[in-house]
Amino acid sequence: KAGVTQTPRYLIKTRGQQVTLSCSPISGHRSVSWYQQTPGQGLQFLFEYFSETQRNKGNFPGRFSGRQFSNSRSEMNVSTLELGDSALYLCASSLRRDLNTGELFFGEGSRLTVL
Amino acid sequence: GENVEQHPSTLSVQEGDSAVIKCTYSDSASNYFPWYKQELGKRPQLIIDIRSNVGEKKDQRIAVTLNKTAKHFSLHITETQPEDSAVYFCAASGFKAAGNKLTFGGGTRVLVKP
């Protein structure tokens, strides 16, 4: 069974640009969540989708957005990039509706560098 | 919202010794507490979890304890081996309404010296 796949794995952007990251969950998983990982802040929750609906959103500015498609694949977008957006963006999928009955499976991440 | 504090931030132990990582959480409604291990350059992977109706759970050399009254939980690794070297994250999740959202601690970098 294929794991969570994230693309692209690495990308370099300049300030002011926008970026779209993609996540394909494990087959059958309907929940997809996104986390930002930085050395100083650890793993910060961005948002979570279940059956195309955003159920939770973290404390990030409106420049961070996402969506989920009917096949459960998800994308996140960051507009007007800032230097501080440089981070590893991790996607995670889960089979269950809530964590009381299922675990998160992480992808390898998309490493974004903003120059 | 939920806040999770994790200590220590770094931990160096001799091979064969035990390692203990402690976390505290703020939301008394949290009822699911997983631990993830992230090796260098790899993705985080679940190693053990505990739910609020259980006080302790063991899986071979690792164990987790939960004190709901004090709102803290700990990871214990016994007989540490070099392959235990990694960053460990604790996390907490609330009631079902929270969906699949985890609030993570800041991480503990564990180094096992041979």
Side-chain angles (χ1 to χ4, degrees):
Chain A
K1 201 176 200 180
V4 178
T5 304
Q6 292 188 244
T7 57
R9 291 291 314 282
Y10 303 91
L11 64 167
I12 299 174
K13 293 285 187 179
T14 56
R15 279 179 297 174
Q17 288 187 309
Q18 66 93 27
V19 66
T20 299
L21 308 178
S22 179
C23 172
S24 293
I26 293 172
S27 178
H29 286 197
R30 290 191 292 162
S31 167
V32 174
S33 50
W34 291 87
Y35 291 83
Q36 181 194 64
Q37 185 172 24
T38 58
Q41 298 296 319
L43 283 158
Q44 301 281 313
F45 172 79
L46 281 156
F47 25 66
E48 187 242 348
Y49 292 88
F50 186 87
S51 294
E52 301 180 68
T53 300
Q54 185 182 90
R55 296 197 295 177
N56 285 290
K57 192 174 193 304
N59 296 323
F60 280 83
R63 300 185 295 107
F64 291 80
S65 63
R67 58 178 175 169
Q68 186 180 34
F69 302 96
S70 58
N71 61 358
S72 293
R73 190 178 70 84
S74 177
E75 288 181 348
M76 67 163 282
N77 184 79
V78 188
S79 62
T80 319
L81 285 166
E82 301 177 358
L83 295 179
D85 296 333
S86 294
L88 180 67
Y89 290 88
L90 289 163
C91 166
S93 74
S94 180
L95 176 64
R96 303 297 183 183
R97 185 175 183 84
D98 64 73
L99 286 169
N100 288 285
T101 53
E103 72 177 88
L104 289 184
F105 294 86
F106 283 88
E108 292 186 296
S110 293
R111 184 166 296 281
L112 170 65
T113 301
V114 182
L115 302 176
Chain B
E2 174 70 278
N3 184 51
V4 178
E5 299 281 339
Q6 183 172 347
H7 299 280
S9 57
T10 59
L11 181 59
S12 182
V13 297
Q14 286 295 137
E15 183 177 355
D17 286 351
S18 295
V20 180
I21 304 170
K22 298 181 179 181
C23 291
T24 59
Y25 60 98
S26 61
D27 188 351
S28 57
S30 290
N31 59 0
Y32 174 67
F33 308 91
W35 287 86
Y36 282 80
K37 175 184 179 182
Q38 187 176 29
E39 297 177 12
L40 190 63
K42 301 279 184 69
R43 69 191 77 192
Q45 291 191 298
L46 179 72
I47 55 171
I48 194 167
D49 58 15
I50 191 167
R51 289 174 171 80
S52 59
N53 58 344
V54 176
E56 182 176 4
K57 184 176 179 181
K58 289 182 180 180
D59 183 3
Q60 299 183 337
R61 295 186 297 107
I62 60 174
V64 58
T65 58
L66 171 65
N67 183 326
K68 284 212 73 180
T69 303
K71 290 191 285 187
H72 67 70
F73 56 113
S74 301
L75 178 71
H76 304 253
I77 307 174
T78 59
E79 300 173 19
T80 54
Q81 300 169 6
E83 55 263 37
D84 294 329
S85 295
V87 178
Y88 292 81
F89 292 95
C90 63
S93 180
F95 186 59
K96 287 184 179 181
N100 287 332
K101 172 187 175 181
L102 283 177
T103 300
F104 284 90
T108 297
R109 185 174 299 278
V110 174
L111 175 62
V112 179
K113 297 180 287 184

